[in-house]
Amino acid sequence: MAKRKLSAQQKRRISEKRNVKTDQKNIESEDDLTTGNQVGLVITNFGKKVLIEAVDGTNYKCSIRQHLGKLTAGDQVVWQKDQEAFTGVITQLQERKTLLSRPGFRGQFRMVAANISLIGIVVPILPGIHPDMIDRYLVAAEQIGIPSFIILNKVDLVEEKEHWEAIEEILKPYNDLKIPIILTSSYKDHGLDDLQNTLFNQTSVFVGASGAGKSSLINALIPDLKIRVGELSEATGLGSHTTSNSILYHLPTGGDLIDSPGVRQFTPEPCSLSELEQYYHDFEPFLDRCKFNNCTHTHEPGCEITTAVENDLISAQRLHSFHRLLEEFEN
Ligand SMILES: Nc1nc2c(ncn2[C@@H]2O[C@H](COP(=O)(O)OP(=O)(O)O)[C@@H](O)[C@H]2O)c(=O)[nH]1
Ligand SMILES: [Mg+2]
Ligand SMILES: [Zn+2]
């Protein structure tokens, strides 16, 4: 099969990203700032406005200069105060070190979080683990070039030994890949210390299906969170916030954690067959051995990947998820 060409939609998405990039500036020091300008951190995006945190920790509701495009939690900006209390205008976007986005409506991409250094994939043990979802976020983390780990959540729901054996079987490929897996329950206060240690001094984002327990975990990690949110809405007059957009929180132990809205299905940035192969590290030992160098590992003779699956050296589920992603990229 030929190396995949980008669809019109993919090209549009990439060019949209490039446009966003051209307006990003790099502020090296406070001296680069002209009078009245200060740096700030985007806490959340409310659509037309964003909530930012000033250097002194105060929150301001800001409008955005049009050429900057959309902003997301974790963005570093330059902004100016308005006459009115707790409001301002964002004038510059500092260059993003990393950006996690997902496809939205009509080929537009939606930003999930910026400047993140770690992705926590929250997977509830019930109603069931979806390894496809895990694989998709692993690919996204690889594309961004940051580490990821799995948070196996709601472990309070499963006690029977047989269930655990089945769960371990599903998670075996990730254990083999040395992807850290932390077992948690915010109900039972289980695994929170481990989680806290992993998140220490990182800018992390929690991703996963809606209902996975992301927000509950964040509440458990930040004891006074509810009070803080209350204060925010009082200061800004924004009222209570729905989680349709990502929100950045500071961890009391150090580091930032971004809560993202749940998605039904996540799709990483479309990429070519050969790129996708690189992101599946369990394929690595076999990749160069397929008879055809553009082997899709489906029906081709002399395919070492399918042979590895037959010999239990690669999980069949992993190869399935690989194929489903490729298929989706083609559409
Ligand atoms: N059994 C159990 N349920 C939980 C746990 N954490 C959250 N939940 C429940 O799961 C549902 C979704 O939680 P939420 O934190 O809103 O998930 P989010 O959509 O990922 O943010 C809620 O009904 C929670 O009460 C847990 O550790 N154990
Ligand atoms: Mg939530
Ligand atoms: Zn092959």
Side-chain angles (χ1 to χ4, degrees):
M1 196 197 289
K3 293 273 144 67
R4 282 164 183 75
K5 289 211 171 96
L6 292 174
S7 70
Q9 178 186 320
Q10 289 161 16
K11 279 183 190 151
R12 193 164 58 241
R13 273 170 59 181
I14 289 163
S15 81
E16 271 174 9
K17 282 199 173 180
R18 296 223 170 102
N19 289 342
V20 170
K21 258 218 161 106
T22 53
D23 285 326
Q24 295 176 29
K25 303 249 166 49
N26 219 347
I27 307 296
E28 300 289 350
S29 76
E30 293 279 327
D31 294 340
D32 291 344
L33 299 170
T34 52
T35 337
N37 278 334
Q38 39 181 314
V39 292
L41 170 68
V42 174
I43 300 298
T44 189
N45 179 330
F46 291 97
K48 287 213 171 73
K49 302 248 165 152
V50 297
L51 189 68
I52 64 126
E53 186 183 88
V55 183
D56 68 3
T58 320
N59 293 111
Y60 289 81
K61 187 165 86 173
C62 290
S63 54
I64 313 161
R65 290 270 160 82
Q66 203 149 28
H67 66 281
L68 295 180
K70 285 224 162 79
L71 301 177
T72 190
D75 267 328
Q76 302 277 355
V77 295
V78 176
W79 67 287
Q80 295 170 355
K81 266 187 215 174
D82 277 352
Q83 305 285 40
E84 217 181 307
F86 300 116
T87 65
V89 58
I90 294 168
T91 56
Q92 277 180 50
L93 167 63
Q94 298 204 47
E95 201 177 328
R96 292 179 176 125
K97 292 191 197 87
T98 57
L99 177 65
L100 175 67
S101 57
R102 63 182 175 86
F105 295 111
R106 281 181 249 113
Q108 296 223 324
F109 75 96
R110 288 192 63 155
M111 294 181 289
V112 178
N115 298 316
I116 45 171
S117 59
L118 181 65
I119 296 181
I121 308 165
V122 183
V123 181
I125 212 155
L126 279 177
I129 299 168
H130 296 292
D132 261 46
M133 183 84 123
I134 299 177
D135 292 345
R136 283 157 181 254
Y137 282 117
L138 293 181
V139 167
E142 290 273 339
Q143 288 175 328
I144 300 168
I146 59 172
S148 54
F149 71 107
I150 296 169
I151 301 162
L152 189 64
N153 195 26
K154 308 194 186 182
V155 293
D156 55 283
L157 291 177
V158 171
E159 267 159 23
E160 297 80 26
K161 194 161 166 278
E162 310 85 79
H163 270 142
W164 275 107
E165 281 164 1
I167 289 161
E168 275 164 22
E169 188 60 32
I170 297 173
L171 295 177
K172 186 174 180 298
Y174 311 109
N175 262 320
D176 293 346
L177 284 166
K178 307 260 183 310
I179 292 158
I181 302 175
I182 300 180
L183 274 55
T184 57
S185 162
S186 42
Y187 278 19
K188 289 268 168 78
D189 196 355
H190 182 96
L192 297 180
D193 288 344
D194 272 357
L195 190 55
Q196 206 134 44
N197 289 336
T198 304
L199 301 172
F200 179 68
N201 277 359
Q202 304 283 334
T203 299
S204 314
V205 62
F206 277 0
V207 294
S210 153
K214 299 179 291 297
S215 301
S216 304
L217 277 175
I218 294 174
N219 263 302
L221 289 168
I222 312 174
D224 64 348
L225 178 62
K226 286 200 182 87
I227 300 162
R228 203 178 94 88
V229 172
E231 279 170 0
L232 286 190
S233 48
E234 213 172 275
T236 58
L238 287 165
S240 63
H241 190 283
T242 58
T243 44
S244 58
N245 282 311
S246 302
I247 308 175
L248 181 143
Y249 300 104
H250 299 303
L251 292 167
T253 43
D256 291 337
L257 176 55
I258 297 174
D259 192 9
S260 74
V263 289
R264 194 160 301 183
Q265 181 62 288
F266 172 81
T267 307
E269 188 76 14
C271 64
S272 69
L273 167 68
S274 60
E275 271 174 277
L276 190 61
E277 283 170 345
Q278 307 305 314
Y279 303 142
Y280 276 70
H281 290 289
D282 34 359
F283 293 8
E284 219 168 79
F286 311 97
L287 276 180
D288 291 337
R289 303 206 208 143
C290 291
K291 188 171 170 196
F292 303 107
N293 68 1
N294 57 357
C295 185
T296 63
H297 324 303
T298 40
H299 46 74
E300 294 90 341
C303 173
E304 289 296 317
I305 299 280
T306 44
T307 308
V309 170
E310 278 157 23
N311 296 332
D312 271 340
L313 298 169
I314 291 176
S315 121
Q317 160 58 37
R318 288 275 293 167
L319 185 56
H320 279 149
S321 85
F322 175 87
H323 283 140
R324 274 191 285 265
L325 261 182
L326 265 189
E327 229 168 85
E328 219 171 288
F329 290 170
E330 280 181 341
N331 298 325

